[in-house]
Amino acid sequence: MNVTVSRDLYEHVMVPNYAPVSVVPVDGRGARVWDQDGTEYIDFAGGIAVNALGHCHPDLVEALTLQAQRLWHISNIFANEPAMRLAHALTQASFADRVFFANSGAEANEAAFKLARRYGVRTGGEDKHEIVANLNSFHGRSLFTVSVAGQPKYSEGFGPPIKGIRHVAFNDIQALEAAVSSHTCAVVIEPVQGESGVLPASRAYLQRARELCDTHGALLIFDEVQTGMGRLGTLFGYEHFDVVPDVMTLAKAIGCGFPLAAMLATKEAARHLELGTHGSTFGGNPLACAVGETALKLIDRPELLRGVQIRHTHFVSALTVIGKRYDLFKEVRGIGLLLGCVLTDRWKGQAKHVIDCCLEHGVMVLQAGPDVIRLAPSLVIETEEIDEGLARLAKAVKQLSREPVAM
Ligand SMILES: *Cc1c(COP(=O)(O)O)cnc(C)c1O
């Protein structure tokens, strides 16, 4: 039986947990995407900070297809070359000594939190199991990760949550000092809160977290699922802040669109996840790791990272002008190519409406909460793609500005 694969089919075949927009993308190249009707879009969303090298980067296509003709999957009963090469490259490029591969951000965080719990229990006894996390953070959608994240909208309604988690306000040093104790096994922080509005941590906050962890023998975990892999203009976000964690999780851009994630740890921390304590069938498969290896090689280059800064400046100045002219944004914030345009009071709560209008004008953007328009484009987006996208965004904003004030 032949079916028409249009957006209408979606509700009939999919679990209703998402509400995708009305157009169905079918092709992508660089920072451009085309839908079923051939309509072109400039992609400032990057598949939610995933497509760091744009769509179908030729070197990634080559890495994927070459490996696809050799070995896709072999299981963790065997070591494989791409995984060992990628782990070696990641440890060379970061503070870490050891790597655990997974397939998603939630899984990488799950591994980090399980490691933290074992570390705590083994170094300080059963009571040393508390994880201190930020309110309004985001660490994925598994039960452990939603419990850690401190957002009731994601964690409530699933029966008893995971216990032993203390939530503190982001960037509040005193609250952190009050929460961390000898019972703490880990403090987990997103260096820039991505989903909750593109809110950078202050350096002082991260530094204090480092000190508190050292004082109380707790692990400092940075969730760099969104901030890692060049997004902030440094290979990893912690470099931007000059504060080094014990454990870091990566996903999103590490596979540039191929499912891949990693938990990186110091040797000292990693040894607590000893033989048999954790695992994954697909984690570290050769196909994903071959893509990750090439992605890391391409991203970890000074020219690319400098280019992120240059693009940042270009975006921020243009977005500030557009935002002011039409009284849409009161602030443009963020680091590198993780940008948040904060809506003015008139547009409060209307981020979804704004992104829908942008899409109608041929530019893909994201929201980060109800009041922030988030941009996370390709790190190698071309100048003309940026300018074309911004022109489309300006048209959308102009149209919005003519609408009567929503009540
Ligand atoms: C996206 C994200 C996650 C979750 O990643 P998944 O691959 O969807 O499981 C975790 N942490 C942060 C900071 C993220 O931005």
Side-chain angles (χ1 to χ4, degrees):
M1 194 185 80
N2 270 336
V3 293
T4 311
V5 188
S6 68
R7 174 64 182 78
D8 294 338
L9 184 60
Y10 192 92
E11 271 76 26
H12 298 288
V13 293
M14 305 292 263
V15 168
N17 62 317
Y18 302 121
V21 299
S22 58
V23 299
V24 180
V26 290
D27 287 297
R29 181 103 353 190
R32 287 175 204 266
V33 171
W34 292 268
D35 70 14
Q36 287 182 316
D37 300 328
T39 304
E40 184 209 84
Y41 303 86
I42 298 288
D43 186 1
F44 286 168
I48 317 190
V50 167
N51 302 311
L53 297 169
H55 296 276
C56 298
H57 190 290
D59 295 6
L60 295 176
V61 172
E62 187 182 87
L64 181 67
T65 49
L66 281 178
Q67 187 61 38
Q69 294 167 56
R70 295 195 67 193
L71 186 69
W72 293 25
H73 179 85
I74 193 66
S75 92
N76 291 303
I77 295 171
F78 302 94
N80 74 72
E81 289 180 357
M84 286 188 284
R85 277 198 302 260
L86 176 57
H88 181 255
L90 285 169
T91 55
Q92 290 287 303
S94 72
F95 71 91
D97 312 301
R98 298 287 184 267
V99 180
F100 170 80
F101 287 118
N103 312 284
S104 68
E107 284 175 71
N109 284 327
E110 184 82 18
F113 301 160
K114 282 179 74 180
L115 164 62
R117 283 271 170 101
R118 279 191 74 79
Y119 161 83
V121 169
R122 292 179 80 212
T123 60
E126 280 297 322
D127 286 344
K128 193 175 174 65
H129 68 256
E130 281 183 5
I131 294 176
V132 176
N134 289 126
L135 287 165
N136 291 322
S137 57
F138 186 77
H139 300 298
R141 295 294 205 107
S142 71
L143 190 58
F144 201 168
T145 54
V146 293
S147 299
V148 170
Q151 295 203 56
K153 68 174 176 187
Y154 293 141
S155 59
E156 277 176 3
F158 297 96
I162 287 175
K163 293 193 191 122
I165 295 153
R166 277 172 170 255
H167 291 112
V168 293
F170 188 59
N171 273 340
D172 182 337
I173 290 179
Q174 279 172 351
L176 191 65
E177 289 170 344
V180 180
S181 73
S182 60
H183 296 317
T184 308
C185 66
V187 174
V188 53
I189 303 175
E190 292 168 84
V192 178
Q193 283 197 333
E195 300 302 311
S196 299
V198 189
L199 282 162
S202 71
R203 175 172 295 172
Y205 186 69
L206 298 180
Q207 274 167 347
R208 190 70 187 118
R210 177 71 274 172
E211 287 164 10
L212 289 166
C213 285
D214 291 341
T215 307
H216 295 283
L219 297 177
L220 180 60
I221 303 175
F222 282 174
D223 178 344
E224 294 233 24
V225 168
Q226 193 151 165
T227 54
M229 304 308 294
R231 179 62 49 194
L232 305 189
T234 47
L235 183 58
F236 304 114
Y238 75 85
E239 300 168 51
H240 173 91
F241 296 94
D242 229 350
V243 177
V244 181
D246 302 295
V247 177
M248 166 171 75
T249 53
L250 300 170
K252 295 208 162 91
I254 191 179
C256 282
F258 200 91
L260 173 63
M263 176 193 70
L264 277 63
T266 61
K267 200 161 49 180
E268 210 16 62
R271 72 186 173 85
H272 296 282
L273 221 47
E274 76 270 47
L275 184 62
T277 51
H278 196 52
S280 163
T281 293
F282 292 130
N285 70 82
L287 203 48
C289 291
V291 176
E293 215 190 317
T294 304
L296 177 59
K297 253 182 224 153
L298 292 168
I299 292 171
D300 190 15
R301 286 181 300 133
E303 318 86 83
L304 182 137
L305 297 171
R306 260 199 310 279
V308 171
Q309 285 313 330
I310 295 165
R311 288 166 177 80
H312 168 94
T313 310
H314 187 152
F315 267 110
V316 171
S317 54
L319 289 167
T320 305
V321 170
I322 296 168
K324 273 214 185 96
R325 183 181 308 150
Y326 300 107
D327 195 28
L328 194 82
F329 308 142
K330 63 176 169 195
E331 186 194 350
V332 179
R333 67 186 174 208
I335 301 169
L337 285 175
L338 183 55
L339 300 168
C341 309
V342 187
L343 296 173
T344 51
D345 293 345
R346 183 187 161 198
W347 291 98
K348 218 173 163 40
Q350 306 239 33
K352 173 74 175 117
H353 182 53
V354 174
I355 65 170
D356 286 346
C357 184
C358 287
L359 192 72
E360 276 166 35
H361 285 81
V363 58
M364 295 170 160
V365 294
L366 299 164
Q367 62 183 108
D371 307 322
V372 177
I373 305 300
R374 176 174 37 152
L375 277 63
S378 156
L379 307 182
V380 293
I381 186 169
E382 307 277 352
T383 308
E384 55 270 26
E385 291 167 330
I386 299 177
D387 289 338
E388 178 63 38
L390 287 169
R392 294 179 190 186
L393 192 142
K395 269 191 202 141
V397 172
K398 186 172 175 187
Q399 180 181 314
L400 286 167
S401 72
R402 296 201 182 112
E403 288 181 7
V405 178
M407 284 296 158

